[in-house]
Amino acid sequence: MELTPEIKDKLDKLQDKYAAMGQDMAAYLDGLLYADFLTYWDYIHLDTLLSLQSPKTPFPDEEIFIMYHQITELYFKLSLHECKQIAEHPALTVKFFIDRVKRINAYFTALTSSFEVMVNGMEKEQFLKFRMSLLPASGFQSGQYRMIEISATDFSRLVDKSKREELANASIEEKFEHIYWKFGATELATGKQTLTLKQFIQKYAAQFLQLSKEREHTNFSALYHKLLHAGEDVTALAEELRKLDLFVNVEWPLSHYKSAVRYLERDPVDIAATGGTNWQKYLPPRFQKRIFYPFLWTETQLEEWGKAWVINVLKTL
């Protein structure tokens, strides 16, 4: 192969790069000479990925259950990757903000549309049997989902609605004691914290509190208002944030609600979730009134939050 001026220029730049680090470029070229070509399966660690399903029972549909939750967590990780880029951008622009929120919305579009796998993709009889081997584990224990919430809004919006006004000026630690999801993980009979919740708090509490403090002024709500007050046109950004609000606080919980109704609703008494969570009150958005950006919605929309979606879901069951 002819050493064209372009190739020579690249070699000179490589020489400068390695010389600046006190390294010998020739040794690195030897490494390239002996190295194998990269393969797809090695690059994404495919064999490892496909080995990460370890069912606890012989029921075939348990593997579907495991894989779907693993896919979900990968989408959450993608979302958090975008959240971090937005929060830590040294000179955030409206365009950058919009582009990254659009990515998150695309991830949640995939998540909500694919949840049909959980609703109708398993035999009810198999699910009700293998789920008993999962106690007290629960999808409630997804730490990444809570981190998305913390990144998306002012922490006060995550406080249980009965305490939001009272704790408006409280510390993050005080607010965390009354975060909404703690009220959804109580034993139905006694009202005490479930083991599921105790495990979850023990593993993630310090991490949640640290992230909450880091995002106090760099959550999406705070950054939106910063750009707005700087005179930026945030019209398109507001539209993407409204979509995110609906995805995280309406569409995603209702996907779970639809699944819970499919598998756990039974007369005369509903079946409890594996974590003992009160799914009948915890999942429907109209009960929680969890809204990231109330300033982007009308009074009527706030009042009717989630109601129409719940009715629509129940009609399709």
Side-chain angles (χ1 to χ4, degrees), residues 65 68-69 115-122 124 127-128 251-265 279 283 313-314 316-317:
F65 188 80
Y68 186 78
H69 281 82
F115 209 82
E116 191 68 20
V117 172
M118 289 293 292
V119 176
N120 293 312
M122 299 180 295
K124 183 174 182 178
F127 174 77
L128 291 177
E251 301 289 352
W252 186 240
L254 279 183
S255 296
H256 288 72
Y257 180 69
K258 188 175 181 180
S259 178
V261 170
R262 161 84 165 82
Y263 293 109
L264 302 179
E265 189 174 56
W279 60 269
L283 291 175
V313 165
L314 292 176
T316 63
L317 292 172

PDB file of all heavy atoms in Angstrom, residues 65 68-69 115-122 124 127-128 251-265 279 283 313-314 316-317:
ATOM      1  N   PHE A  65     -40.134 -13.535  31.888  1.00  0.00           N
ATOM      2  CA  PHE A  65     -40.250 -12.550  32.964  1.00  0.00           C
ATOM      3  C   PHE A  65     -38.882 -11.945  33.288  1.00  0.00           C
ATOM      4  O   PHE A  65     -38.743 -10.717  33.416  1.00  0.00           O
ATOM      5  CB  PHE A  65     -40.840 -13.238  34.194  1.00  0.00           C
ATOM      6  CG  PHE A  65     -41.191 -12.318  35.328  1.00  0.00           C
ATOM      7  CD1 PHE A  65     -42.369 -11.589  35.329  1.00  0.00           C
ATOM      8  CD2 PHE A  65     -40.346 -12.202  36.429  1.00  0.00           C
ATOM      9  CE1 PHE A  65     -42.701 -10.759  36.385  1.00  0.00           C
ATOM     10  CE2 PHE A  65     -40.667 -11.375  37.494  1.00  0.00           C
ATOM     11  CZ  PHE A  65     -41.848 -10.650  37.472  1.00  0.00           C
ATOM     12  N   TYR A  68     -37.433  -9.812  30.192  1.00  0.00           N
ATOM     13  CA  TYR A  68     -38.097  -8.526  29.975  1.00  0.00           C
ATOM     14  C   TYR A  68     -37.649  -7.506  31.021  1.00  0.00           C
ATOM     15  O   TYR A  68     -37.420  -6.334  30.696  1.00  0.00           O
ATOM     16  CB  TYR A  68     -39.623  -8.657  29.985  1.00  0.00           C
ATOM     17  CG  TYR A  68     -40.259  -7.339  29.618  1.00  0.00           C
ATOM     18  CD1 TYR A  68     -40.311  -6.938  28.290  1.00  0.00           C
ATOM     19  CD2 TYR A  68     -40.709  -6.453  30.595  1.00  0.00           C
ATOM     20  CE1 TYR A  68     -40.818  -5.691  27.942  1.00  0.00           C
ATOM     21  CE2 TYR A  68     -41.219  -5.212  30.248  1.00  0.00           C
ATOM     22  CZ  TYR A  68     -41.279  -4.843  28.925  1.00  0.00           C
ATOM     23  OH  TYR A  68     -41.756  -3.608  28.581  1.00  0.00           O
ATOM     24  N   HIS A  69     -37.504  -7.927  32.260  1.00  0.00           N
ATOM     25  CA  HIS A  69     -37.050  -6.995  33.289  1.00  0.00           C
ATOM     26  C   HIS A  69     -35.605  -6.565  33.056  1.00  0.00           C
ATOM     27  O   HIS A  69     -35.233  -5.416  33.340  1.00  0.00           O
ATOM     28  CB  HIS A  69     -37.224  -7.617  34.681  1.00  0.00           C
ATOM     29  CG  HIS A  69     -38.633  -7.553  35.179  1.00  0.00           C
ATOM     30  ND1 HIS A  69     -39.582  -8.464  34.818  1.00  0.00           N
ATOM     31  CD2 HIS A  69     -39.252  -6.650  35.987  1.00  0.00           C
ATOM     32  CE1 HIS A  69     -40.734  -8.150  35.393  1.00  0.00           C
ATOM     33  NE2 HIS A  69     -40.561  -7.056  36.097  1.00  0.00           N
ATOM     34  N   PHE A 115     -44.573  -3.439  26.690  1.00  0.00           N
ATOM     35  CA  PHE A 115     -45.055  -4.051  27.932  1.00  0.00           C
ATOM     36  C   PHE A 115     -46.172  -5.061  27.687  1.00  0.00           C
ATOM     37  O   PHE A 115     -46.553  -5.809  28.591  1.00  0.00           O
ATOM     38  CB  PHE A 115     -45.528  -2.980  28.930  1.00  0.00           C
ATOM     39  CG  PHE A 115     -45.374  -3.411  30.356  1.00  0.00           C
ATOM     40  CD1 PHE A 115     -44.159  -3.311  30.994  1.00  0.00           C
ATOM     41  CD2 PHE A 115     -46.440  -3.949  31.062  1.00  0.00           C
ATOM     42  CE1 PHE A 115     -44.002  -3.721  32.311  1.00  0.00           C
ATOM     43  CE2 PHE A 115     -46.299  -4.360  32.380  1.00  0.00           C
ATOM     44  CZ  PHE A 115     -45.068  -4.256  32.999  1.00  0.00           C
ATOM     45  N   GLU A 116     -46.659  -5.120  26.463  1.00  0.00           N
ATOM     46  CA  GLU A 116     -47.631  -6.134  26.104  1.00  0.00           C
ATOM     47  C   GLU A 116     -47.052  -7.531  26.340  1.00  0.00           C
ATOM     48  O   GLU A 116     -47.787  -8.499  26.585  1.00  0.00           O
ATOM     49  CB  GLU A 116     -48.034  -5.976  24.634  1.00  0.00           C
ATOM     50  CG  GLU A 116     -49.226  -6.813  24.215  1.00  0.00           C
ATOM     51  CD  GLU A 116     -50.521  -6.354  24.876  1.00  0.00           C
ATOM     52  OE1 GLU A 116     -50.591  -5.200  25.335  1.00  0.00           O
ATOM     53  OE2 GLU A 116     -51.469  -7.171  24.923  1.00  0.00           O
ATOM     54  N   VAL A 117     -45.718  -7.629  26.288  1.00  0.00           N
ATOM     55  CA  VAL A 117     -45.041  -8.894  26.594  1.00  0.00           C
ATOM     56  C   VAL A 117     -45.389  -9.346  28.003  1.00  0.00           C
ATOM     57  O   VAL A 117     -45.606 -10.534  28.267  1.00  0.00           O
ATOM     58  CB  VAL A 117     -43.516  -8.741  26.450  1.00  0.00           C
ATOM     59  CG1 VAL A 117     -42.796  -9.979  26.957  1.00  0.00           C
ATOM     60  CG2 VAL A 117     -43.146  -8.470  24.999  1.00  0.00           C
ATOM     61  N   MET A 118     -45.458  -8.401  28.921  1.00  0.00           N
ATOM     62  CA  MET A 118     -45.775  -8.733  30.305  1.00  0.00           C
ATOM     63  C   MET A 118     -47.271  -8.942  30.515  1.00  0.00           C
ATOM     64  O   MET A 118     -47.689  -9.739  31.350  1.00  0.00           O
ATOM     65  CB  MET A 118     -45.294  -7.623  31.233  1.00  0.00           C
ATOM     66  CG  MET A 118     -43.785  -7.559  31.375  1.00  0.00           C
ATOM     67  SD  MET A 118     -43.125  -9.008  32.237  1.00  0.00           S
ATOM     68  CE  MET A 118     -43.784  -8.713  33.862  1.00  0.00           C
ATOM     69  N   VAL A 119     -48.083  -8.225  29.750  1.00  0.00           N
ATOM     70  CA  VAL A 119     -49.530  -8.316  29.939  1.00  0.00           C
ATOM     71  C   VAL A 119     -50.085  -9.617  29.371  1.00  0.00           C
ATOM     72  O   VAL A 119     -50.872 -10.309  30.018  1.00  0.00           O
ATOM     73  CB  VAL A 119     -50.237  -7.103  29.291  1.00  0.00           C
ATOM     74  CG1 VAL A 119     -51.754  -7.245  29.415  1.00  0.00           C
ATOM     75  CG2 VAL A 119     -49.779  -5.810  29.948  1.00  0.00           C
ATOM     76  N   ASN A 120     -49.683  -9.937  28.147  1.00  0.00           N
ATOM     77  CA  ASN A 120     -50.253 -11.122  27.491  1.00  0.00           C
ATOM     78  C   ASN A 120     -49.212 -12.140  27.055  1.00  0.00           C
ATOM     79  O   ASN A 120     -49.541 -13.101  26.355  1.00  0.00           O
ATOM     80  CB  ASN A 120     -51.077 -10.691  26.269  1.00  0.00           C
ATOM     81  CG  ASN A 120     -52.327  -9.914  26.666  1.00  0.00           C
ATOM     82  OD1 ASN A 120     -53.072 -10.339  27.544  1.00  0.00           O
ATOM     83  ND2 ASN A 120     -52.535  -8.769  26.041  1.00  0.00           N
ATOM     84  N   GLY A 121     -47.971 -11.934  27.423  1.00  0.00           N
ATOM     85  CA  GLY A 121     -46.901 -12.811  26.949  1.00  0.00           C
ATOM     86  C   GLY A 121     -46.583 -13.987  27.840  1.00  0.00           C
ATOM     87  O   GLY A 121     -45.639 -14.736  27.565  1.00  0.00           O
ATOM     88  N   MET A 122     -47.338 -14.155  28.925  1.00  0.00           N
ATOM     89  CA  MET A 122     -47.105 -15.281  29.828  1.00  0.00           C
ATOM     90  C   MET A 122     -48.438 -15.931  30.175  1.00  0.00           C
ATOM     91  O   MET A 122     -49.474 -15.256  30.199  1.00  0.00           O
ATOM     92  CB  MET A 122     -46.409 -14.814  31.118  1.00  0.00           C
ATOM     93  CG  MET A 122     -45.062 -14.177  30.910  1.00  0.00           C
ATOM     94  SD  MET A 122     -44.307 -13.658  32.484  1.00  0.00           S
ATOM     95  CE  MET A 122     -45.466 -12.388  33.002  1.00  0.00           C
ATOM     96  N   LYS A 124     -51.080 -17.120  32.672  1.00  0.00           N
ATOM     97  CA  LYS A 124     -51.425 -16.676  34.015  1.00  0.00           C
ATOM     98  C   LYS A 124     -51.140 -17.762  35.037  1.00  0.00           C
ATOM     99  O   LYS A 124     -50.623 -17.486  36.129  1.00  0.00           O
ATOM    100  CB  LYS A 124     -52.902 -16.273  34.064  1.00  0.00           C
ATOM    101  CG  LYS A 124     -53.336 -15.725  35.413  1.00  0.00           C
ATOM    102  CD  LYS A 124     -54.767 -15.207  35.362  1.00  0.00           C
ATOM    103  CE  LYS A 124     -55.187 -14.613  36.697  1.00  0.00           C
ATOM    104  NZ  LYS A 124     -56.561 -14.052  36.655  1.00  0.00           N
ATOM    105  N   PHE A 127     -47.406 -17.890  35.745  1.00  0.00           N
ATOM    106  CA  PHE A 127     -46.968 -16.711  36.484  1.00  0.00           C
ATOM    107  C   PHE A 127     -47.334 -16.810  37.961  1.00  0.00           C
ATOM    108  O   PHE A 127     -46.514 -16.538  38.842  1.00  0.00           O
ATOM    109  CB  PHE A 127     -47.579 -15.448  35.875  1.00  0.00           C
ATOM    110  CG  PHE A 127     -47.291 -14.202  36.680  1.00  0.00           C
ATOM    111  CD1 PHE A 127     -46.056 -13.594  36.632  1.00  0.00           C
ATOM    112  CD2 PHE A 127     -48.264 -13.662  37.513  1.00  0.00           C
ATOM    113  CE1 PHE A 127     -45.795 -12.460  37.385  1.00  0.00           C
ATOM    114  CE2 PHE A 127     -48.013 -12.532  38.266  1.00  0.00           C
ATOM    115  CZ  PHE A 127     -46.767 -11.929  38.203  1.00  0.00           C
ATOM    116  N   LEU A 128     -48.572 -17.193  38.244  1.00  0.00           N
ATOM    117  CA  LEU A 128     -49.028 -17.245  39.629  1.00  0.00           C
ATOM    118  C   LEU A 128     -48.297 -18.306  40.434  1.00  0.00           C
ATOM    119  O   LEU A 128     -48.268 -18.252  41.665  1.00  0.00           O
ATOM    120  CB  LEU A 128     -50.537 -17.484  39.676  1.00  0.00           C
ATOM    121  CG  LEU A 128     -51.397 -16.320  39.169  1.00  0.00           C
ATOM    122  CD1 LEU A 128     -52.874 -16.696  39.201  1.00  0.00           C
ATOM    123  CD2 LEU A 128     -51.156 -15.057  39.991  1.00  0.00           C
ATOM    124  N   GLU A 251     -48.179   6.621  31.583  1.00  0.00           N
ATOM    125  CA  GLU A 251     -48.128   5.461  30.700  1.00  0.00           C
ATOM    126  C   GLU A 251     -47.402   4.267  31.324  1.00  0.00           C
ATOM    127  O   GLU A 251     -47.877   3.122  31.248  1.00  0.00           O
ATOM    128  CB  GLU A 251     -47.464   5.843  29.375  1.00  0.00           C
ATOM    129  CG  GLU A 251     -48.160   6.954  28.608  1.00  0.00           C
ATOM    130  CD  GLU A 251     -49.474   6.506  28.008  1.00  0.00           C
ATOM    131  OE1 GLU A 251     -49.780   5.304  28.049  1.00  0.00           O
ATOM    132  OE2 GLU A 251     -50.211   7.369  27.487  1.00  0.00           O
ATOM    133  N   TRP A 252     -46.250   4.526  31.935  1.00  0.00           N
ATOM    134  CA  TRP A 252     -45.476   3.408  32.502  1.00  0.00           C
ATOM    135  C   TRP A 252     -46.178   2.784  33.713  1.00  0.00           C
ATOM    136  O   TRP A 252     -46.331   1.565  33.773  1.00  0.00           O
ATOM    137  CB  TRP A 252     -44.071   3.886  32.852  1.00  0.00           C
ATOM    138  CG  TRP A 252     -43.128   2.805  33.301  1.00  0.00           C
ATOM    139  CD1 TRP A 252     -42.493   2.720  34.504  1.00  0.00           C
ATOM    140  CD2 TRP A 252     -42.708   1.651  32.553  1.00  0.00           C
ATOM    141  NE1 TRP A 252     -41.706   1.597  34.557  1.00  0.00           N
ATOM    142  CE2 TRP A 252     -41.820   0.922  33.366  1.00  0.00           C
ATOM    143  CE3 TRP A 252     -43.010   1.168  31.283  1.00  0.00           C
ATOM    144  CZ2 TRP A 252     -41.222  -0.274  32.951  1.00  0.00           C
ATOM    145  CZ3 TRP A 252     -42.415  -0.032  30.864  1.00  0.00           C
ATOM    146  CH2 TRP A 252     -41.537  -0.726  31.696  1.00  0.00           C
ATOM    147  N   PRO A 253     -46.650   3.583  34.677  1.00  0.00           N
ATOM    148  CA  PRO A 253     -47.401   2.962  35.783  1.00  0.00           C
ATOM    149  C   PRO A 253     -48.651   2.230  35.308  1.00  0.00           C
ATOM    150  O   PRO A 253     -48.999   1.170  35.841  1.00  0.00           O
ATOM    151  CB  PRO A 253     -47.766   4.162  36.674  1.00  0.00           C
ATOM    152  CG  PRO A 253     -46.742   5.189  36.366  1.00  0.00           C
ATOM    153  CD  PRO A 253     -46.445   5.020  34.908  1.00  0.00           C
ATOM    154  N   LEU A 254     -49.327   2.776  34.292  1.00  0.00           N
ATOM    155  CA  LEU A 254     -50.549   2.123  33.816  1.00  0.00           C
ATOM    156  C   LEU A 254     -50.251   0.822  33.083  1.00  0.00           C
ATOM    157  O   LEU A 254     -51.074  -0.097  33.087  1.00  0.00           O
ATOM    158  CB  LEU A 254     -51.343   3.067  32.921  1.00  0.00           C
ATOM    159  CG  LEU A 254     -52.212   4.089  33.653  1.00  0.00           C
ATOM    160  CD1 LEU A 254     -53.010   4.908  32.668  1.00  0.00           C
ATOM    161  CD2 LEU A 254     -53.154   3.401  34.633  1.00  0.00           C
ATOM    162  N   SER A 255     -49.085   0.740  32.456  1.00  0.00           N
ATOM    163  CA  SER A 255     -48.685  -0.533  31.851  1.00  0.00           C
ATOM    164  C   SER A 255     -48.598  -1.605  32.928  1.00  0.00           C
ATOM    165  O   SER A 255     -49.053  -2.737  32.752  1.00  0.00           O
ATOM    166  CB  SER A 255     -47.331  -0.380  31.147  1.00  0.00           C
ATOM    167  OG  SER A 255     -47.409   0.515  30.066  1.00  0.00           O
ATOM    168  N   HIS A 256     -48.025  -1.234  34.071  1.00  0.00           N
ATOM    169  CA  HIS A 256     -47.928  -2.168  35.194  1.00  0.00           C
ATOM    170  C   HIS A 256     -49.303  -2.455  35.794  1.00  0.00           C
ATOM    171  O   HIS A 256     -49.590  -3.580  36.200  1.00  0.00           O
ATOM    172  CB  HIS A 256     -47.001  -1.591  36.268  1.00  0.00           C
ATOM    173  CG  HIS A 256     -45.561  -1.606  35.886  1.00  0.00           C
ATOM    174  ND1 HIS A 256     -45.029  -0.765  34.945  1.00  0.00           N
ATOM    175  CD2 HIS A 256     -44.529  -2.386  36.313  1.00  0.00           C
ATOM    176  CE1 HIS A 256     -43.738  -1.022  34.810  1.00  0.00           C
ATOM    177  NE2 HIS A 256     -43.408  -1.991  35.626  1.00  0.00           N
ATOM    178  N   TYR A 257     -50.126  -1.420  35.850  1.00  0.00           N
ATOM    179  CA  TYR A 257     -51.475  -1.597  36.396  1.00  0.00           C
ATOM    180  C   TYR A 257     -52.269  -2.590  35.550  1.00  0.00           C
ATOM    181  O   TYR A 257     -52.963  -3.459  36.062  1.00  0.00           O
ATOM    182  CB  TYR A 257     -52.177  -0.238  36.429  1.00  0.00           C
ATOM    183  CG  TYR A 257     -53.577  -0.278  36.983  1.00  0.00           C
ATOM    184  CD1 TYR A 257     -53.810  -0.533  38.335  1.00  0.00           C
ATOM    185  CD2 TYR A 257     -54.680  -0.042  36.159  1.00  0.00           C
ATOM    186  CE1 TYR A 257     -55.100  -0.560  38.845  1.00  0.00           C
ATOM    187  CE2 TYR A 257     -55.970  -0.059  36.658  1.00  0.00           C
ATOM    188  CZ  TYR A 257     -56.175  -0.325  38.012  1.00  0.00           C
ATOM    189  OH  TYR A 257     -57.443  -0.359  38.513  1.00  0.00           O
ATOM    190  N   LYS A 258     -52.133  -2.449  34.224  1.00  0.00           N
ATOM    191  CA  LYS A 258     -52.818  -3.353  33.313  1.00  0.00           C
ATOM    192  C   LYS A 258     -52.350  -4.784  33.529  1.00  0.00           C
ATOM    193  O   LYS A 258     -53.148  -5.725  33.538  1.00  0.00           O
ATOM    194  CB  LYS A 258     -52.551  -2.917  31.870  1.00  0.00           C
ATOM    195  CG  LYS A 258     -53.355  -3.671  30.817  1.00  0.00           C
ATOM    196  CD  LYS A 258     -53.098  -3.068  29.447  1.00  0.00           C
ATOM    197  CE  LYS A 258     -53.908  -3.800  28.378  1.00  0.00           C
ATOM    198  NZ  LYS A 258     -53.675  -3.216  27.026  1.00  0.00           N
ATOM    199  N   SER A 259     -51.052  -4.961  33.730  1.00  0.00           N
ATOM    200  CA  SER A 259     -50.501  -6.288  33.985  1.00  0.00           C
ATOM    201  C   SER A 259     -50.987  -6.832  35.324  1.00  0.00           C
ATOM    202  O   SER A 259     -51.342  -8.011  35.443  1.00  0.00           O
ATOM    203  CB  SER A 259     -48.966  -6.218  33.977  1.00  0.00           C
ATOM    204  OG  SER A 259     -48.399  -7.469  34.264  1.00  0.00           O
ATOM    205  N   ALA A 260     -51.020  -5.956  36.338  1.00  0.00           N
ATOM    206  CA  ALA A 260     -51.473  -6.390  37.660  1.00  0.00           C
ATOM    207  C   ALA A 260     -52.932  -6.838  37.626  1.00  0.00           C
ATOM    208  O   ALA A 260     -53.305  -7.848  38.242  1.00  0.00           O
ATOM    209  CB  ALA A 260     -51.278  -5.271  38.678  1.00  0.00           C
ATOM    210  N   VAL A 261     -53.752  -6.073  36.912  1.00  0.00           N
ATOM    211  CA  VAL A 261     -55.161  -6.449  36.792  1.00  0.00           C
ATOM    212  C   VAL A 261     -55.288  -7.802  36.092  1.00  0.00           C
ATOM    213  O   VAL A 261     -56.089  -8.653  36.474  1.00  0.00           O
ATOM    214  CB  VAL A 261     -55.949  -5.363  36.025  1.00  0.00           C
ATOM    215  CG1 VAL A 261     -57.352  -5.841  35.682  1.00  0.00           C
ATOM    216  CG2 VAL A 261     -56.027  -4.088  36.858  1.00  0.00           C
ATOM    217  N   ARG A 262     -54.474  -7.998  35.070  1.00  0.00           N
ATOM    218  CA  ARG A 262     -54.511  -9.251  34.292  1.00  0.00           C
ATOM    219  C   ARG A 262     -54.159 -10.460  35.156  1.00  0.00           C
ATOM    220  O   ARG A 262     -54.795 -11.509  35.080  1.00  0.00           O
ATOM    221  CB  ARG A 262     -53.513  -9.127  33.132  1.00  0.00           C
ATOM    222  CG  ARG A 262     -53.070 -10.437  32.485  1.00  0.00           C
ATOM    223  CD  ARG A 262     -54.031 -10.922  31.438  1.00  0.00           C
ATOM    224  NE  ARG A 262     -53.429 -11.939  30.611  1.00  0.00           N
ATOM    225  CZ  ARG A 262     -53.324 -13.224  30.901  1.00  0.00           C
ATOM    226  NH1 ARG A 262     -53.780 -13.666  32.060  1.00  0.00           N
ATOM    227  NH2 ARG A 262     -52.775 -14.079  30.078  1.00  0.00           N
ATOM    228  N   TYR A 263     -53.144 -10.319  36.002  1.00  0.00           N
ATOM    229  CA  TYR A 263     -52.641 -11.471  36.743  1.00  0.00           C
ATOM    230  C   TYR A 263     -53.092 -11.543  38.203  1.00  0.00           C
ATOM    231  O   TYR A 263     -53.170 -12.632  38.777  1.00  0.00           O
ATOM    232  CB  TYR A 263     -51.104 -11.486  36.713  1.00  0.00           C
ATOM    233  CG  TYR A 263     -50.527 -11.738  35.342  1.00  0.00           C
ATOM    234  CD1 TYR A 263     -49.895 -10.723  34.638  1.00  0.00           C
ATOM    235  CD2 TYR A 263     -50.619 -12.993  34.742  1.00  0.00           C
ATOM    236  CE1 TYR A 263     -49.368 -10.940  33.369  1.00  0.00           C
ATOM    237  CE2 TYR A 263     -50.092 -13.224  33.469  1.00  0.00           C
ATOM    238  CZ  TYR A 263     -49.471 -12.196  32.792  1.00  0.00           C
ATOM    239  OH  TYR A 263     -48.961 -12.424  31.538  1.00  0.00           O
ATOM    240  N   LEU A 264     -53.358 -10.375  38.812  1.00  0.00           N
ATOM    241  CA  LEU A 264     -53.562 -10.358  40.259  1.00  0.00           C
ATOM    242  C   LEU A 264     -54.980 -10.024  40.697  1.00  0.00           C
ATOM    243  O   LEU A 264     -55.330 -10.242  41.859  1.00  0.00           O
ATOM    244  CB  LEU A 264     -52.594  -9.353  40.917  1.00  0.00           C
ATOM    245  CG  LEU A 264     -51.097  -9.593  40.668  1.00  0.00           C
ATOM    246  CD1 LEU A 264     -50.275  -8.519  41.353  1.00  0.00           C
ATOM    247  CD2 LEU A 264     -50.672 -10.981  41.139  1.00  0.00           C
ATOM    248  N   GLU A 265     -55.788  -9.469  39.809  1.00  0.00           N
ATOM    249  CA  GLU A 265     -57.157  -9.134  40.209  1.00  0.00           C
ATOM    250  C   GLU A 265     -58.002 -10.393  40.309  1.00  0.00           C
ATOM    251  O   GLU A 265     -58.036 -11.221  39.405  1.00  0.00           O
ATOM    252  CB  GLU A 265     -57.790  -8.166  39.202  1.00  0.00           C
ATOM    253  CG  GLU A 265     -59.111  -7.612  39.684  1.00  0.00           C
ATOM    254  CD  GLU A 265     -59.657  -6.555  38.751  1.00  0.00           C
ATOM    255  OE1 GLU A 265     -59.811  -6.860  37.553  1.00  0.00           O
ATOM    256  OE2 GLU A 265     -59.923  -5.424  39.212  1.00  0.00           O
ATOM    257  N   TRP A 279     -50.737  -2.463  45.127  1.00  0.00           N
ATOM    258  CA  TRP A 279     -50.718  -2.057  43.728  1.00  0.00           C
ATOM    259  C   TRP A 279     -52.000  -1.354  43.303  1.00  0.00           C
ATOM    260  O   TRP A 279     -51.990  -0.515  42.404  1.00  0.00           O
ATOM    261  CB  TRP A 279     -50.454  -3.271  42.831  1.00  0.00           C
ATOM    262  CG  TRP A 279     -51.460  -4.385  42.909  1.00  0.00           C
ATOM    263  CD1 TRP A 279     -51.423  -5.463  43.734  1.00  0.00           C
ATOM    264  CD2 TRP A 279     -52.662  -4.527  42.121  1.00  0.00           C
ATOM    265  NE1 TRP A 279     -52.507  -6.276  43.517  1.00  0.00           N
ATOM    266  CE2 TRP A 279     -53.275  -5.738  42.527  1.00  0.00           C
ATOM    267  CE3 TRP A 279     -53.257  -3.766  41.122  1.00  0.00           C
ATOM    268  CZ2 TRP A 279     -54.486  -6.183  41.970  1.00  0.00           C
ATOM    269  CZ3 TRP A 279     -54.447  -4.213  40.556  1.00  0.00           C
ATOM    270  CH2 TRP A 279     -55.042  -5.405  40.975  1.00  0.00           C
ATOM    271  N   LEU A 283     -50.302   2.077  41.860  1.00  0.00           N
ATOM    272  CA  LEU A 283     -50.066   2.204  40.429  1.00  0.00           C
ATOM    273  C   LEU A 283     -50.933   3.242  39.702  1.00  0.00           C
ATOM    274  O   LEU A 283     -50.436   3.959  38.844  1.00  0.00           O
ATOM    275  CB  LEU A 283     -50.212   0.830  39.750  1.00  0.00           C
ATOM    276  CG  LEU A 283     -49.121  -0.199  40.096  1.00  0.00           C
ATOM    277  CD1 LEU A 283     -49.449  -1.541  39.471  1.00  0.00           C
ATOM    278  CD2 LEU A 283     -47.753   0.286  39.628  1.00  0.00           C
ATOM    279  N   VAL A 313     -57.657   1.946  29.871  1.00  0.00           N
ATOM    280  CA  VAL A 313     -57.003   0.668  30.131  1.00  0.00           C
ATOM    281  C   VAL A 313     -58.026  -0.379  30.577  1.00  0.00           C
ATOM    282  O   VAL A 313     -58.036  -1.511  30.100  1.00  0.00           O
ATOM    283  CB  VAL A 313     -55.905   0.810  31.203  1.00  0.00           C
ATOM    284  CG1 VAL A 313     -55.473  -0.549  31.736  1.00  0.00           C
ATOM    285  CG2 VAL A 313     -54.697   1.530  30.614  1.00  0.00           C
ATOM    286  N   LEU A 314     -58.899   0.002  31.471  1.00  0.00           N
ATOM    287  CA  LEU A 314     -59.899  -0.945  31.988  1.00  0.00           C
ATOM    288  C   LEU A 314     -60.853  -1.399  30.889  1.00  0.00           C
ATOM    289  O   LEU A 314     -61.313  -2.532  30.886  1.00  0.00           O
ATOM    290  CB  LEU A 314     -60.662  -0.304  33.142  1.00  0.00           C
ATOM    291  CG  LEU A 314     -59.862  -0.061  34.421  1.00  0.00           C
ATOM    292  CD1 LEU A 314     -60.707   0.665  35.444  1.00  0.00           C
ATOM    293  CD2 LEU A 314     -59.333  -1.372  34.994  1.00  0.00           C
ATOM    294  N   THR A 316     -60.059  -1.942  27.862  1.00  0.00           N
ATOM    295  CA  THR A 316     -59.382  -2.862  26.938  1.00  0.00           C
ATOM    296  C   THR A 316     -59.101  -4.218  27.543  1.00  0.00           C
ATOM    297  O   THR A 316     -58.649  -5.118  26.854  1.00  0.00           O
ATOM    298  CB  THR A 316     -58.047  -2.253  26.477  1.00  0.00           C
ATOM    299  OG1 THR A 316     -57.177  -2.079  27.607  1.00  0.00           O
ATOM    300  CG2 THR A 316     -58.255  -0.924  25.780  1.00  0.00           C
ATOM    301  N   LEU A 317     -59.375  -4.377  28.837  1.00  0.00           N
ATOM    302  CA  LEU A 317     -59.105  -5.651  29.504  1.00  0.00           C
ATOM    303  C   LEU A 317     -60.225  -6.652  29.281  1.00  0.00           C
ATOM    304  O   LEU A 317     -61.359  -6.268  29.128  1.00  0.00           O
ATOM    305  CB  LEU A 317     -58.889  -5.416  31.000  1.00  0.00           C
ATOM    306  CG  LEU A 317     -57.602  -4.631  31.342  1.00  0.00           C
ATOM    307  CD1 LEU A 317     -57.570  -4.282  32.809  1.00  0.00           C
ATOM    308  CD2 LEU A 317     -56.370  -5.428  30.955  1.00  0.00           C
TER     309      LEU A 317
END
